[in-house]
Amino acid sequence: MPSISNKGNAMPQSPIRKLVPFAEAAKKNGTKVYHLNIGQPDIKTPQVALDAVKNNTIEVLSYARSEGSEEYRTKLANYYAKNDIHVTANNIIATTGGSEALLFTIGSITDPGDEIIIPEPFYANYNGFSTASGVKVVPVISKIEDNFALPAIEDFEKLITPKTKAILICNPGNPTGYLYSQEEIEKLKQIVLKHDLFLIADEVYREFTYDGEKHNSVMALEGLEQNAIMIDSVSKRYSMCGARIGCIVSKNEEFIGTAIKFAQARLSPPTYALIASEAALETPQSYFDEVIEEYEDRRNTLISELQKIEGVKVANPKGAFYCVAELPVKDSDDFAQWILENFNDNNETVMVAPASGFYSTEGEGKNQVRIAYVLNKTDLKRSVEILKLALKQYNS
């Protein structure tokens, strides 16, 4: 029998999706499952984006440009300018989701065996993208006790080798919801300049910041033009996860020229999704104001309810719509499967994402889960109530 590649065998499973069969089995048995495991917003997609597709009169669904239309990229640059990010259409490549943007970026700046330093816990697919490119993830651990703040720069410094090509951050963070301060971004700027590295910032949750806090983009830093690469997406901003439109943004012309070759190899991003994404840029600020207020209320509700459970420790996120909670269990993978297979309260249960899949350091995050507060406040309260009852039974 032909053999599977070592790279294929090394590809990690998604901690977010690997429990789906157990959730589906629970539903078939009549149990309602509250999904706290995945960042699929329940916020309505802007109507202007849906109407752009619905009312379109295209007669030939042709290829888009590999980098996305100039009109879309220009409008996107105008949107960024409102966020103090000053770029042109030529600094932007439209991609099929933020995932493809990361794959093109890693492919453009690394060779097999190279290394990327990432503060962990981190978005689980960073492991997958790196494995697919033959790149080694070098983790630097942030702690729940510090609310998952940026680890000391000295911790980064001692991990840098001749194989190090970049530092990758997610800001605000998935899975932690941590929002990097201006001071922390400046520290990262200094270390990548000192060691001639790229600084990749996954900023797909830029709009989701709370408590009056401001998002600090790597693209707004002077002196980092040749080092900064921003990853973005319409998925969360406009509640358009299914559109699968993201982008790469950088002022480094050589990098953009290289990434375009990857874009050309896959031909183009989907045309209808680009049409929807371009229309979404017309979404008024009032939409975001309402969404941010709603998510801040949900965050407050979730954190408050989790803090009432004995033995649970939770970080307080300042952005995105996730938090990491430490549970009074030894193995959150086992607990997350058990709660789907063996527990319900009035035919209801919850699905969480075990946090070990958001670490690359063996043994880290074993008693943690990521919770996405993408449900309404009533459902969040009920979910935490079920979680409390399940923990009591699981530990008895």
Side-chain angles (χ1 to χ4, degrees):
M1 177 178 173
S3 61
I4 299 300
S5 68
N6 291 332
K7 183 169 65 177
N9 285 322
M11 279 291 288
Q13 274 191 309
S14 167
I16 307 164
R17 298 175 181 268
K18 69 180 181 180
L19 294 173
V20 167
F22 302 104
E24 293 304 310
K27 292 175 187 176
K28 287 179 181 177
N29 290 331
T31 301
K32 178 178 179 177
V33 178
Y34 289 97
H35 284 273
L36 303 177
N37 63 301
I38 192 165
Q40 171 58 64
D42 65 348
I43 304 296
K44 287 186 178 180
T45 302
Q47 193 62 42
V48 66
L50 299 175
D51 288 344
V53 175
K54 181 180 178 182
N55 300 329
N56 201 280
T57 57
I58 287 177
E59 294 183 357
V60 177
L61 194 58
S62 58
Y63 288 120
R65 282 180 59 174
S66 293
E67 61 268 53
S69 72
E70 185 170 358
E71 184 178 21
Y72 173 57
R73 289 179 291 117
T74 298
K75 288 182 179 179
L76 197 53
N78 292 337
Y79 154 76
Y80 287 133
K82 297 175 185 177
N83 292 270
D84 296 322
I85 298 170
H86 300 287
V87 294
T88 70
N90 292 334
N91 302 134
I92 302 171
I93 300 174
T95 58
T96 307
S99 298
E100 188 176 75
L102 281 158
L103 280 168
F104 288 178
T105 296
I106 294 172
S108 297
I109 68 171
T110 66
D111 291 308
D114 284 339
E115 300 171 352
I116 296 177
I117 299 174
I118 314 178
E120 64 177 355
F122 52 73
Y123 177 47
N125 281 336
Y126 296 163
N127 268 329
F129 301 145
S130 299
T131 299
S133 300
V135 172
K136 180 182 178 182
V137 168
V138 178
V140 53
I141 299 176
S142 60
K143 298 289 187 180
I144 192 170
E145 291 80 10
D146 301 324
N147 216 35
F148 297 110
L150 185 75
I153 285 298
E154 293 78 15
D155 293 346
F156 286 87
E157 193 108 42
K158 62 188 179 185
L159 295 173
I160 294 173
T161 74
K163 289 286 188 180
T164 306
K165 288 299 179 74
I167 293 173
L168 167 59
I169 61 170
C170 186
N171 184 34
N174 175 7
T176 64
Y178 186 77
L179 181 67
Y180 289 101
S181 68
Q182 182 68 40
E183 181 183 5
E184 288 172 319
I185 297 295
E186 286 287 347
K187 287 181 179 179
L188 289 169
K189 170 186 170 180
Q190 295 306 320
I191 194 171
V192 299
L193 289 175
K194 178 181 177 181
H195 294 278
D196 199 23
L197 307 174
F198 286 102
L199 177 57
I200 309 167
D202 182 343
E203 299 185 1
V204 304
Y205 298 96
R206 178 186 306 101
E207 278 71 25
F208 305 100
T209 63
Y210 314 121
D211 305 323
E213 297 284 348
K214 180 180 179 292
H215 177 261
N216 299 289
S217 175
V218 299
M219 294 301 298
L221 292 176
E222 291 186 10
L224 206 59
E225 290 80 8
Q226 300 307 306
N227 305 73
I229 301 170
M230 182 175 77
I231 307 298
D232 204 359
S233 169
V234 304
S235 292
K236 314 301 180 178
R237 180 183 308 132
Y238 302 114
S239 197
M240 288 172 58
C241 296
R244 308 312 306 134
I245 294 295
C247 66
I248 306 170
V249 184
S250 180
K251 295 180 181 179
N252 184 316
E253 293 181 6
E254 184 179 11
F255 164 73
I256 288 292
T258 304
I260 283 176
K261 291 187 285 186
F262 284 83
Q264 291 169 344
R266 65 82 165 95
L267 303 184
S268 68
T271 299
Y272 270 130
L274 281 169
I275 290 169
S277 299
E278 183 175 333
L281 289 167
E282 300 171 15
T283 304
Q285 182 59 39
S286 58
Y287 171 89
F288 297 109
D289 294 340
E290 292 173 8
V291 170
I292 297 308
E293 183 178 355
E294 175 64 23
Y295 275 126
E296 190 165 348
D297 283 347
R298 292 180 181 188
R299 180 206 61 176
N300 294 341
T301 298
L302 176 65
I303 300 301
S304 174
E305 294 300 312
L306 285 171
Q307 288 174 337
K308 295 175 184 177
I309 305 177
E310 185 178 355
V312 170
K313 182 188 298 182
V314 60
N316 189 28
K318 294 289 186 179
F321 36 67
Y322 308 102
C323 74
V324 171
E326 196 168 277
L327 306 182
V329 300
K330 290 184 178 180
D331 188 338
S332 61
D333 284 86
D334 181 76
F335 173 73
Q337 182 174 330
W338 173 87
I339 199 173
L340 291 169
E341 284 192 300
N342 301 302
F343 180 84
N344 71 76
D345 181 61
N346 292 326
N347 288 322
E348 295 182 332
T349 192
V350 298
M351 186 176 184
V352 294
S356 58
F358 297 93
Y359 290 84
S360 63
T361 300
E362 188 69 29
E364 289 291 331
K366 291 295 290 182
N367 63 342
Q368 297 176 354
V369 294
R370 186 194 74 170
I371 296 176
Y373 44 96
V374 292
L375 306 180
N376 64 61
K377 287 176 282 187
T378 300
D379 286 349
L380 283 174
K381 285 184 176 181
R382 174 60 179 148
S383 298
V384 177
E385 179 185 21
I386 294 169
L387 184 65
K388 179 180 179 180
L389 294 170
L391 283 168
K392 185 175 180 180
Q393 183 172 318
Y394 183 79
N395 288 321
S396 63

